[in-house]
Amino acid sequence: YQQAVKHLRKSEYAEAVKTMDILIKQQPNDPNHYRFRAELLRLWGRLDRARRDYQRLIELDPKSPVAYNGLAEVLLQSGDYPAAHEAGLRAAELAPDEWVALYNLGMIEDRLHQSDEVISHIQAALALKVPDARHRLLMHFYLARAHARLGDAAAAQSAALEVRRHKNGLEEWQKILGSDQAQTLRAVLGADVEAAADLAAARRDVMTLAQD
């Protein structure tokens, strides 16, 4: 793992993955190896290989919420929203008290325009005391967009106010998304962060989010 991390810090993704390939060949039934290699593959942008590793992880540990959540994330990144939603539902079922699973599920449902479900799952996530301002920012943004899509102007405006209160999270996102290793993450979240920034700066009316 240390050798793989050394390669990762140098953005040597192929070498990092090869290091894990050797370890997995030696210990093919250790779920932690597949989880770590999947994370490396996602950073490298090899989403199909990452998906296969999460599926293997599920075979080894069928009740692992981490495996289903990782699978949901990589399917989201691949644009396969229905399959991502199925995996996300399973992750949330296995870990109902984990905000990450509920947050990811709400994000997937935002893509599917399932606004009532977005509101339900994001509110449940927020009730679990999300520690990072950047995640709270996007949660309130997804709530604002869901309410706008439902035509509830009052609720959308209330969520927009929360986006403005959490605008310090924008600096965190901008720093993270500016990294050389964030190409895949930028593809998934870049437009959302930009829209949230416009909302926080009052450059955009919240009800126009319904058009997204």
Side-chain angles (χ1 to χ4, degrees), residues 126-143:
L126 286 167
L128 295 172
K129 311 300 181 185
V130 180
D132 301 316
R134 69 179 185 274
H135 289 117
R136 294 196 302 273
L137 169 88
L138 282 184
M139 287 184 185
H140 289 297
F141 171 74
Y142 294 134
L143 285 176

Side-chain angles (χ1 to χ4, degrees), residues 113-117 119 144-153 207 210:
H113 289 221
Q114 297 178 352
S115 297
D116 287 323
E117 289 81 358
I119 294 167
R145 184 148 65 188
H147 286 303
R149 285 171 173 167
L150 291 171
D152 190 339
M207 295 306 290

Side-chain angles (χ1 to χ4, degrees), residues 76 102-111 114-123 126 134-150 156 159-160 163 173 188-193 195-196 199 206 209:
L76 169 64
L102 291 164
Y103 163 67
N104 284 334
L105 183 54
M107 188 191 311
I108 294 164
E109 289 162 344
D110 171 80
R111 271 55 174 174
Q114 297 178 352
S115 297
D116 287 323
E117 289 81 358
V118 171
I119 294 167
S120 175
H121 291 126
I122 294 296
Q123 286 180 339
L126 286 167
R134 69 179 185 274
H135 289 117
R136 294 196 302 273
L137 169 88
L138 282 184
M139 287 184 185
H140 289 297
F141 171 74
Y142 294 134
L143 285 176
R145 184 148 65 188
H147 286 303
R149 285 171 173 167
L150 291 171
V163 171
W173 277 123
V188 176
L189 293 178
D192 292 344
V193 172
L199 197 60
V206 66
L209 294 177

